[in-house]
Amino acid sequence: YIAELKALQKPQVAGVRGSQTRVNRWIAPPLGMVKINVDAAVGRARGPAEAICRDQDGVFLGASAVVFSHLSDPGTLEMLAIREALALADDIYVRRVHVASDCKVAVDDIQQQNKGSYGAIAHEIIQHRSEFEACNILHEFRSSNIEAHKLAKHALSLGVGCHVWLGQPNDLDFVSVNIVTT
C-alpha cells in the first residue's frame, strides 16, 4: 500500500518512440470544465461502453456504463462510449465538458464529421454536442485514461443494460485512482 501511495505522489513516465513521453496519470480538464474519460471493452457476448466524470480537482462526480449484448465491434463501442459521456453530462447537469477517449479513430471521425460504419452514432454525438455550453472531444493516450479502462474491463462482468454511479465512488473500489493534481 505504501508503494502505491508513493507512486501516486510522483507522476510516472513511460517511454515512447523518439523523444516524446507519456505521463501515467489523469490529466485535468481546462479551467471551468469537468472531464469525462471514456473507454469500451469487448467481451464474448457483450460489449460495455463507459464514462467516468471528475471535476478539475479530480473529485468524482459520477460514472456510467452501458453493456450491450452481441456487440463486439471496438470502433462502434468506442463511439458509444463517447455518446455515453454526453448522456452522463446531462444526468449530472454539467454544461462545460471535456471528453477524453483513447480511441483516436473515433475522435477523428467526430472532429472531421466522417460517418464511417457508425454514422448514426457519430451524427447523434455531433448534434448532442451542440447543446452544451462547451464540449471538447479529444484523444488521450491510455496511460492517462487508466481509470476509464479499468471501469470498462469491470463492466464486462455486469449485466446487459445501463449502470450508473453518482455521488461517492464507494462501489468503484476496483478502480485504482491515478490522479495527481498540481
Side-chain angles (χ1 to χ4, degrees):
Y1 293 117
I2 293 173
E4 288 177 358
L5 181 60
K6 287 180 182 177
L8 289 176
Q9 291 173 345
K10 286 185 181 178
Q12 298 173 348
V13 177
V16 182
R17 290 182 208 141
S19 62
Q20 184 182 11
T21 58
R22 294 184 194 158
V23 178
N24 287 328
R25 64 173 174 85
W26 179 81
I27 300 169
L31 188 64
M33 300 184 89
V34 301
K35 183 167 185 188
I36 305 177
N37 288 88
V38 301
D39 204 3
V42 176
R44 283 188 180 193
R46 66 183 67 214
E50 69 77 32
I52 186 162
C53 183
R54 293 187 178 276
D55 70 10
Q56 60 195 48
D57 296 321
V59 175
F60 177 85
L61 299 176
S64 64
V66 179
V67 182
F68 299 92
S69 64
H70 307 294
L71 182 55
S72 60
D73 177 58
T76 301
L77 286 165
E78 292 283 353
M79 192 67 77
L80 287 167
I82 295 170
R83 185 183 77 174
E84 185 59 23
L86 301 183
L88 177 62
D90 285 339
D91 289 346
I92 60 176
Y93 303 107
V94 294
R95 306 314 303 154
R96 297 179 53 80
V97 297
H98 192 74
V99 179
S101 170
D102 61 10
C103 182
K104 186 163 175 38
V105 172
V107 171
D108 288 347
D109 284 348
I110 292 167
Q111 290 175 347
Q112 298 166 7
Q113 297 189 9
N114 293 338
K115 301 300 193 280
S117 62
Y118 34 72
I121 304 165
H123 179 71
E124 183 180 343
I125 292 167
I126 292 165
Q127 290 299 107
H128 193 172
R129 163 189 209 174
S130 67
E131 298 170 10
F132 289 90
E133 187 178 319
C135 181
N136 303 331
I137 300 174
L138 56 100
H139 170 261
E140 285 184 2
F141 292 106
R142 181 172 288 168
S143 59
S144 61
N145 202 27
I146 295 168
E147 189 177 38
H149 179 70
K150 288 184 177 184
L151 181 55
K153 292 295 184 186
H154 171 73
L156 284 168
S157 67
L158 302 174
V160 172
C162 188
H163 307 270
V164 179
W165 301 269
L166 299 174
Q168 297 300 317
N170 296 334
D171 53 351
L172 291 177
D173 59 355
F174 58 86
V175 176
S176 61
V177 179
N178 194 15
I179 296 175
V180 178
T181 57
T182 55

